[in-house]
Amino acid sequence: MKIAITSTGKELTSEMDQYFGRALNFLMVNQDTMDFEVVKNNSVGLLQGAGIQAGKIIVDNKVDVVITGNCGPKAFNVLNTAGIEVITGAKGRIMDVIEDYKKGNLKPSEKPNVKCQLV
Amino acid sequence: MKEITIVSGKGGTGKTSIVASFATVAKKNLLVDADVDAADLHLVMSPTVRYKEDFKGGHKAAINQKICTKCGKCIERCQYNAISADFIVNSLSCEGCGVCVHYCPVQAIDFPQRTCGEWYISDTPVCPMVHARLGIAEENSGLLVSLVRKQARILAEKQNIEIIIVDGPPGIGCPVIAAITGADAVLIVTEPTLSGMHDMDRIIDLTSFLNVPALLCVNKYDLNREISDSIINMAEKNNMQFVGSIPYDRDVTYAMVAGKSLIDFSNGKAALAVREVWNNIESYLQRGD
Amino acid sequence: MIISVASGKGGTGKTTIATNLAVSMDQPVQLVDCDVEEPNAHIFMKPQITLRLAVNKMVPSVDMELCDLCEACGKICQFSAITVIGKKVLTFPDMCHSCKGCMMVCPNGAITESPLEIGVIEKGRSGFVEFIHGCLKVGQPMSAFLINKIKEDFTSDKITIIDAPPGTSCPMISAIKGSDFVLLVTEPTPFGLNDLVLAVKTVRALKIPCGIVINRCDVGDMKTHEFAEKEEIPILMETPDSRQIAEAYSRGEMIIERVPGMKNAFRELFKRIIREVRK
C-alpha cells in the first residue's frame, strides 16, 4: 500500500500541509515498511488548476491512498477517476497520522470537503 | 488557528478602516491585505517590510521579429485578437493560452512567465502583516490573493498565531473567491443604501455557494435606519449572525488622514462600536471550536 | 465618443457620477454598467428592460468514441481545463478560457464546443437614456470575459458612458479599454489618493486621457489636489460631503433631482470633458 500525504516538510516528523493542490510536498509512504520518498509538488505555484495537476502527480506515482487536510472538487474528481482513495480532514505530524490510519481511525471521504479554489 | 475574511461586495463601505481597528484590538493575530489591486491597509498600519519576494504571474506570448516569417498562422488562431497585423502581441489582450506558440511553424514566439507584482511579510506596531502589490495593468490578482493567504498561514503556524484577519477585495469575482474559499468565517460589512443591500445579497449568495459561514455588520447605520433595519431582518431570516452596527463618525476619516487605526485615534462612538463588533466576532470564532 | 467613469477605490461615487451625468445630458446617450460583479446603476436608472441575453462561454466537450487518449489536449491547455486520467478525459469548464487550443490540436476531431452560461446582458431604456448592463452569475470568476462581451455589443454612434468596476486589474482594464476619456472619481483621503495614483498609472498605461472628480471634497486633506496639480490632471468637478446627497443615494434617488443646482453642475462637467477630449 502506497500512501501519499501532503506535507510541509520532508520528514516523517514534519507537519502535514492542510492544502492538497498547493501542498509544498507529498510524502509517498510505504505503509508496511514506512520507507518513504519526497515528491516536490510542482503545482504549488501554478496560476490555476493546482489541484488538478497535483492530482495527476499522485496518479502518475501509482498511489493507493491520499491523506490530506482539504481537498476540493476538481482534485477529488481526478483522484476518484483514477480509483484512488481520499482521506480529508487529517492534521498533525505525518508519522502520527499514518499510525492513526493503520489503526483504522481514518475513513475515506465520499466527497470533497471544501469548495474549489477557482483560481 | 482561525481565519476570518472581511468583504463587502460594494466598495467603500469602510472595510479597511474596520479591519485596521480589529488588528489593534485582537490578540495573537496576523493581518493580511488581500485587496491586492487597490491595497490601502499599509497606509494605517505602518508596516516595516522584513521579507519580500517577486510574484510570478502568467505567461504571455512575445513574437521575435527576427525569426517571424509573417505567415499569419498565429493571428488566425488567436481567439482574443491579441496579435496586430504587424505581428506585435498586445499583452493586455493576450490571455496566455499558448496556442500561437504551439502553432508557429518557425518557433518565433517566446512564452515567458512574467513578474506581476511583489508580496511582503512585514511587522506593524500591533501584529505581523502579509501584503502584496500587483503591478500596474497586471493580471492574476486571484492567484496573488491565494498566495498571500497561504504565506500568512505558514507564518501563523510558525508563530502560534491564533487569528488571521484578512481584508478582502470588493466585488464577487475571482480575487474575492480566492479570498473567501476555505476561511473559517466571512464578515460582510455593508452600508444602509439600496446599492449596499443589493451587493450584499450577491456576496451572501457567494458565501453560501462556497460554503463559508457569514457574519454581518452594518456600517454608518444611522445614514438610513429604515434600510439598516431591513438588512438586519434579512440577516436573521438567512440565519446569519448579526454582529453589530457602527454609527457614522467623522473620526473614521480623521484617523485615516492621521495614518492611524480608528481605535488608536479615537474613543468616539464608532471606535466603541467597532470594539463591540470585534468582541462578538471573537466569541463566535471561539464557539466554533 | 466613449467616456468611462472609473476609480481605484470602491465606493467613491462612480455610479452616482455616471448615472447623473447620463440623465443630465440633452442629447442621445447610452449608459453601460460594466461593474458586472456588483451592478448598481439600474437601482438609480430604474430602466425598462426590453432585451435579455444569456452570455455563454464556449467550453470543450469530448466524444469518447473518437478519443484515443493521446493527451495532446491536456498538454496544450495552460489552464488545466482538460486532462486525461486513465481512460477518461476530464474537463473543468470554469477553468476554460475558450482559446480553442484543445479543439485545434486534437488529431481525431473528438472535441467540440458547448456553451456554459456565465451571466446575462440586459438592455432597456430609462427616459432618453439607452441602458445596458451585465450581471455575472454568482460563483463565476471571469468577469472580464462578460465585460468584453458587453463591449462587443454596443453601438458607438452616440455618447456612451461606461460605469467601470473598481480596482486597477483585469475587470477595470477591460471596461475602460478603447475609451476616449476616463473620469476618475475619488475622495480626498489617504485611501482615495493611494488608489487614485494607481488608477492614473493604469489609465496612462492604456494611453487614455483622464480627468478627476473629487467627491466629499471637504472631508480629508489637500493632497489629492496637490497630486492632480503636479501630474497636470484637470479636476473637472468637486462635490461636498452632504447628508442630503448621502440620503438620496441610500434611497436610490438621482441627486440631480434632489439637490438644487446639480443638473447644471453635471452639464458643466460634460462640457469640460468634451473640452479635454478635443485638446
Side-chain angles (χ1 to χ4, degrees):
Chain A
M1 277 284 262
K2 193 168 177 181
I3 308 172
I5 303 196
T6 50
S7 172
T8 53
K10 295 178 175 174
E11 305 294 335
L12 288 173
T13 50
S14 304
E15 284 289 313
M16 274 186 65
D17 199 316
Q18 283 305 298
Y19 291 81
F20 177 72
R22 296 191 194 281
L24 291 177
N25 301 300
F26 299 110
L27 249 55
M28 309 281 182
V29 186
N30 180 322
Q31 189 197 321
D32 308 314
T33 62
M34 288 305 273
D35 288 338
F36 69 95
E37 133 190 47
V38 182
V39 176
K40 198 165 178 285
N41 180 15
N42 294 322
S43 328
V44 65
L46 272 189
L47 277 189
Q48 50 172 358
I52 298 163
Q53 296 305 331
K56 281 199 74 120
I57 295 175
I58 300 293
V59 174
D60 292 345
N61 275 279
K62 305 210 166 20
V63 168
D64 303 294
V65 183
V66 166
I67 304 178
T68 186
N70 298 318
C71 181
K74 295 192 180 92
F76 195 89
N77 192 350
V78 169
L79 297 170
N80 211 25
T81 302
I84 295 168
E85 226 169 59
V86 185
I87 292 166
T88 57
K91 55 175 84 168
R93 283 198 311 171
I94 306 281
M95 51 195 295
D96 301 338
V97 172
I98 292 186
E99 273 316 302
D100 236 22
Y101 174 72
K102 284 184 183 167
K103 283 183 202 148
N105 291 340
L106 304 178
K107 294 277 172 274
S109 320
E110 279 160 24
K111 54 181 189 340
N113 65 333
V114 288
K115 285 277 187 172
C116 201
Q117 201 105 349
L118 286 163
V119 286
Chain B
M1 187 211 312
K2 299 282 180 183
E3 183 184 27
I4 181 160
T5 301
I6 291 85
V7 295
S8 62
K10 182 176 171 356
T13 61
K15 258 190 325 287
T16 302
S17 292
I18 291 174
V19 167
S21 294
F22 286 170
T24 312
V25 185
K27 292 184 184 69
K28 285 196 171 176
N29 63 312
L30 187 158
L31 200 52
V32 176
D33 192 348
D35 188 359
V36 296
D37 70 315
D40 287 332
L41 204 48
H42 63 280
L43 298 172
V44 283
M45 297 308 298
S46 334
T48 312
V49 175
R50 298 284 175 221
Y51 177 81
K52 70 174 172 186
E53 198 175 305
D54 281 348
F55 163 58
K56 297 275 188 201
H59 295 257
K60 296 253 175 177
I63 299 177
N64 186 335
Q65 301 297 337
K66 281 185 197 144
I67 305 176
C68 176
T69 58
K70 314 215 181 309
C71 69
K73 290 210 165 68
C74 52
I75 297 181
E76 244 168 65
R77 297 199 183 250
C78 177
Q79 302 298 311
Y80 315 109
N81 295 320
I83 304 169
S84 67
D86 49 355
F87 297 91
I88 308 283
V89 177
N90 176 353
S91 66
L92 286 174
S93 300
C94 175
E95 295 257 333
C97 70
V99 166
C100 58
V101 181
H102 181 88
Y103 280 101
C104 178
V106 292
Q107 283 85 47
I109 309 181
D110 291 332
F111 202 41
Q113 191 178 24
R114 309 209 324 172
T115 299
C116 296
E118 268 182 343
W119 64 270
Y120 317 94
I121 297 176
S122 297
D123 283 335
T124 76
V126 293
C127 66
M129 173 167 162
V130 181
H131 51 129
R133 188 188 52 78
L134 192 68
I136 296 300
E138 289 293 354
E139 297 163 19
N140 305 118
S141 53
L143 177 74
L144 185 52
V145 170
S146 300
L147 181 84
V148 290
R149 276 183 70 205
K150 167 109 191 171
Q151 293 299 336
R153 277 185 173 259
I154 292 172
L155 189 66
E157 264 165 34
K158 269 192 216 148
Q159 302 193 357
N160 285 323
I161 299 278
E162 281 166 14
I163 294 184
I164 301 178
I165 304 171
V166 182
D167 188 10
I172 60 161
C174 134
V176 182
I177 293 170
I180 292 178
T181 307
D184 293 290
V186 162
L187 172 69
I188 301 171
V189 177
T190 188
E191 59 175 33
T193 64
L194 289 183
S195 307
M197 215 166 144
H198 173 265
D199 296 353
M200 173 186 79
D201 251 353
R202 285 169 62 78
I203 192 94
I204 290 173
D205 284 351
L206 184 68
T207 55
S208 52
F209 177 81
L210 296 172
N211 209 8
V212 182
L215 316 178
L216 184 80
C217 139
V218 183
N219 193 16
K220 308 175 214 169
Y221 79 93
D222 43 351
L223 187 66
N224 189 325
R225 285 170 198 266
E226 212 177 308
I227 298 181
S228 286
D229 288 343
S230 22
I231 288 174
I232 296 167
N233 278 334
M234 198 163 110
E236 278 161 5
K237 256 187 225 148
N238 283 301
N239 286 323
M240 278 166 69
Q241 176 98 16
F242 174 69
V243 287
S245 302
I246 301 165
Y248 177 77
D249 186 342
R250 281 211 163 184
D251 277 358
V252 176
T253 308
Y254 298 147
M256 199 198 292
V257 171
K260 287 184 172 165
S261 81
L262 176 66
I263 298 277
D264 275 338
F265 180 84
S266 154
N267 276 319
K269 51 186 183 173
L272 289 175
V274 171
R275 272 179 198 277
E276 179 69 34
V277 168
W278 178 251
N279 290 339
N280 290 337
I281 292 173
E282 221 170 30
S283 42
Y284 174 89
L285 290 173
Q286 278 157 8
R287 269 205 310 278
D289 266 338
Chain C
M1 186 172 71
I2 304 173
I3 303 164
S4 282
V5 183
S7 75
K9 178 168 162 23
T12 55
K14 274 183 304 299
T15 302
T16 304
I17 298 297
T19 52
N20 284 280
L21 182 61
V23 172
S24 62
M25 268 189 216
D26 44 10
Q27 53 183 304
V29 58
Q30 179 175 242
L31 178 69
V32 185
D33 189 351
C34 281
D35 188 356
V36 299
E37 294 179 32
E38 299 288 18
N40 284 150
H42 66 281
I43 295 171
F44 301 88
M45 300 297 292
K46 305 173 180 69
Q48 284 225 293
I49 298 296
T50 48
L51 188 67
R52 193 170 182 281
L53 303 161
V55 175
N56 297 320
K57 181 173 92 169
M58 298 310 278
V59 299
S61 65
V62 184
D63 182 347
M64 290 312 292
E65 298 277 311
L66 298 174
C67 173
D68 65 3
L69 304 170
C70 73
E71 292 200 53
C73 53
K75 282 187 189 125
I76 198 169
C77 183
Q78 292 291 315
F79 312 108
S80 301
I82 187 163
T83 186
V84 179
I85 299 290
K87 293 202 177 327
K88 284 189 186 161
V89 181
L90 298 180
T91 60
F92 299 94
D94 49 352
M95 319 287 284
C96 177
H97 286 226
S98 308
C99 73
K100 302 192 193 220
C102 55
M103 286 172 68
M104 294 177 202
V105 85
C106 178
N108 305 312
I111 305 177
T112 49
E113 286 185 298
S114 52
L116 172 78
E117 188 178 328
I118 63 153
V120 294
I121 295 177
E122 291 181 320
K123 296 182 180 188
R125 180 164 280 287
S126 167
F128 294 105
V129 180
E130 212 178 286
F131 181 87
I132 304 175
H133 76 171
C135 192
L136 187 72
K137 221 168 150 176
V138 170
Q140 282 296 329
M142 287 182 201
S143 45
F145 183 89
L146 178 54
I147 296 169
N148 290 334
K149 284 285 171 201
I150 303 173
K151 294 183 70 182
E152 273 172 21
D153 231 51
F154 63 62
T155 48
S156 51
D157 56 337
K158 54 185 83 155
I159 304 275
T160 301
I161 297 170
I162 292 178
D163 188 0
T168 58
S169 60
C170 2
M172 182 263 200
I173 290 171
S174 295
I176 69 170
K177 209 161 50 179
S179 299
D180 299 289
F181 192 79
V182 177
L183 202 55
L184 293 169
V185 183
T186 189
E187 55 183 38
T189 61
F191 292 0
L193 176 59
N194 181 63
D195 300 350
L196 173 69
V197 172
L198 296 171
V200 166
K201 286 184 184 162
T202 307
V203 172
R204 286 189 169 159
L206 293 166
K207 302 190 177 66
I208 308 172
C210 66
I212 297 174
V213 171
I214 304 181
N215 279 333
R216 304 171 68 223
C217 63
D218 44 352
V219 292
D221 50 27
M222 289 307 287
K223 291 196 174 128
T224 305
H225 296 80
E226 289 162 19
F227 168 76
E229 196 179 332
K230 195 179 110 233
E231 294 291 324
E232 296 179 4
I233 304 168
I235 295 173
L236 301 176
M237 182 166 146
E238 295 186 61
T239 63
D241 185 28
S242 126
R243 181 111 198 161
Q244 202 182 5
I245 294 176
E247 280 177 10
Y249 175 87
S250 79
R251 293 189 294 261
E253 294 166 359
M254 301 292 284
I255 58 172
I256 55 166
E257 282 157 18
R258 285 283 168 266
V259 185
M262 270 301 178
K263 190 161 189 167
N264 279 333
F266 276 97
R267 285 191 168 164
E268 185 57 34
L269 170 64
F270 180 63
K271 278 188 209 152
R272 288 181 181 166
I273 292 172
I274 296 291
R275 229 175 285 149
E276 289 298 322
V277 174
R278 294 215 170 117
K279 264 185 192 170

